[in-house]
Amino acid sequence: MTKITAAISAVGKYVPEYVLTNKELESFVDTNDEWITTRTGIKERRILKGEGLGTSYMAIKASEDLIKKSNINPEEIDLVIVATATPDLPVASTAAYVATEIGAINAFGYDLQAACSSFLYGMSTASSYIESGRYKKVLLIGADKMSSIIDYKDRATCIIFGDGAGAVLFEPNSEGLGLQDEYLRSDGIGRDFLRIEAGGSIMPATIETVKEKKHFVYQEGKTVFKYAVSNMADVAEKMLIRNNLTEPEIQWLVAHQANKRIIEATANRVGVSSEKVMMNIHRYGNTTSATLPLLLADYEKELKKGDNLIFAAFGGGFTWGAAYLKWAYNS
Ligand code: UT7
């Protein structure tokens, strides 16, 4: 019997229209374009404006882009996973709403939260459903409205994050294309270094928590940087070693867009040259769960059937990991 692998068969994206430049940030906090560019590689990021618009708005737009481009019938989708750290509402599943809105009326949907590694972990989940034969079409969306949890008076975080969404469809493949291997990790040591202190079950919202700005992202950048650099490079390298891959056999490095210096360090360890490193951090900043699918959408035209892609991500928790995927189509 032919082995069934889980391949990405379509991608879609959405980024909000509003462009928040480094220059504009200079009017909120004590920072400057030169510092942001040299320390992070970010020039601008997108911000979702408009009352009542949450993460689902972008997730729906990215899914509609995918559906339009690929011509699939949304009624055939079995499962919708929304990878996100900023769900619309704390309890109601964002994915359930997204599924209904895009016409995936036969699907069930749930959210998956693993901070900046949400999409990478979601790739594992989506692929497992396909490989097992349980489902045939799994829509995995990475979407975050980071602007809803950022303090625009905190220069340590407001310069980094942006809003956006990307979507991919996983389907069975009988040519051996799609997900080949993965190595996913987590370590609870990270929870003090990158988090939102209040609003969860440990510290529910009160007037004080709001006044003390405990509902915004706090990040000890230097510490997170150190862990991210070594861990992302380690797992990416592991993918190569475990699969006997050499540099010429790798076409693309698809790394979480948190900081250009972290991405370059990972590329150096894996030994791939800069033209093989997907990069859009300069345009979108760190969109958390959306970085990896936004890269795939932006580079889709350059991807060829059979290309070997190495994914890597690192995020709060800590959570991190890498995956090796063979691209399944020419566009
Ligand atoms: O996606 C989830 C995982 N997250 C990450 O991977 C992020 C990891 N961390 C980082 O990317 C970096 O640590 C940051 C970009 C957040 C910060 O860069 P850094 O090189 O680690 O800077 P730093 O925090 O060590 O600060 C260096 C200096 C400090 O001044 P002094 O103490 O040397 O005088 C800061 O006060 O830069 C100052 N600084 C700023 N200056 C201008 C910090 N933020 C800013 C700013 N503009 N926005």
Side-chain angles (χ1 to χ4, degrees), residues 149 191-206 208-210 212-219:
I149 53 170
R191 125 158 157 168
D192 289 340
F193 304 118
L194 176 48
R195 64 175 177 181
I196 294 177
E197 202 178 348
S201 55
I202 293 179
M203 194 188 288
T206 62
E208 281 70 39
T209 60
V210 173
E212 288 162 16
K213 297 187 161 199
K214 288 185 171 167
H215 295 270
F216 291 124
V217 170
Y218 162 80
Q219 175 171 243

Side-chain angles (χ1 to χ4, degrees), residues 5-269:
T5 49
I8 292 176
S9 58
V11 302
K13 74 175 254 199
Y14 174 77
V15 289
E17 269 168 43
Y18 191 85
V19 178
L20 175 57
T21 61
N22 290 350
K23 192 93 206 134
E24 188 178 349
L25 279 168
E26 288 176 16
S27 64
F28 306 160
V29 288
D30 181 15
T31 192
N32 57 75
D33 177 45
E34 205 253 325
W35 191 95
I36 301 172
T37 307
T38 53
R39 297 284 176 134
T40 70
I42 302 166
K43 296 299 280 183
E44 58 189 42
R45 65 291 288 141
R46 301 299 180 103
I47 302 295
L48 182 63
K49 303 263 186 183
E51 211 174 313
L53 301 184
T55 293
S56 66
Y57 178 83
M58 298 185 290
I60 291 165
K61 293 262 187 203
S63 304
E64 286 172 347
D65 181 42
L66 180 151
I67 290 165
K68 202 169 128 207
K69 275 167 57 189
S70 63
N71 243 329
I72 67 152
N73 178 356
E75 294 185 11
E76 288 173 9
I77 297 171
D78 301 300
L79 166 61
V80 175
I81 301 172
V82 174
T84 187
T86 53
D88 279 8
L89 303 165
V91 174
S93 156
T94 304
Y97 179 70
V98 171
T100 300
E101 290 297 304
I102 62 171
I105 53 170
N106 297 308
F108 69 107
Y110 61 83
D111 300 348
L112 194 157
Q113 209 289 67
C116 293
S117 305
S118 302
F119 186 84
L120 185 76
Y121 284 16
M123 284 172 58
S124 171
T125 309
S127 297
S128 302
Y129 280 123
I130 299 288
E131 288 159 4
S132 70
R134 192 174 293 249
Y135 300 117
K136 299 270 183 288
K137 282 186 170 53
V138 179
L139 182 67
L140 172 64
I141 305 158
D144 267 305
K145 184 184 171 186
M146 294 306 291
S147 61
S148 65
I149 53 170
I150 292 299
D151 175 6
Y152 284 90
K153 293 207 159 49
D154 176 12
R155 70 175 183 175
T157 52
C158 74
I159 56 135
I160 299 168
F161 294 98
D163 303 337
V168 304
L169 186 70
F170 274 94
E171 290 192 87
N173 186 283
S174 53
E175 297 176 273
L177 303 169
L179 191 70
Q180 308 292 309
D181 194 13
E182 66 180 30
Y183 183 60
L184 306 180
R185 307 286 304 131
S186 68
D187 187 341
I189 195 177
R191 125 158 157 168
D192 289 340
F193 304 118
L194 176 48
R195 64 175 177 181
I196 294 177
E197 202 178 348
S201 55
I202 293 179
M203 194 188 288
T206 62
I207 289 168
E208 281 70 39
T209 60
V210 173
K211 276 193 193 144
E212 288 162 16
K213 297 187 161 199
K214 288 185 171 167
H215 295 270
F216 291 124
V217 170
Y218 162 80
Q219 175 171 243
E220 203 178 298
K222 250 190 181 20
T223 309
V224 178
F225 187 91
K226 272 190 219 148
Y227 277 96
V229 162
S230 62
N231 285 324
M232 231 165 86
D234 281 353
V235 291
E237 191 182 34
K238 195 174 181 91
M239 279 299 93
L240 267 70
I241 295 169
R242 211 152 80 169
N243 293 282
N244 293 318
L245 290 168
T246 56
E247 198 277 340
E249 291 162 314
I250 296 163
Q251 278 71 43
W252 297 100
L253 177 67
V254 193
H256 173 53
Q257 308 281 290
N259 187 315
K260 192 168 182 234
R261 290 182 288 146
I262 301 175
I263 302 164
E264 284 169 351
T266 304
N268 282 341
R269 176 82 77 80

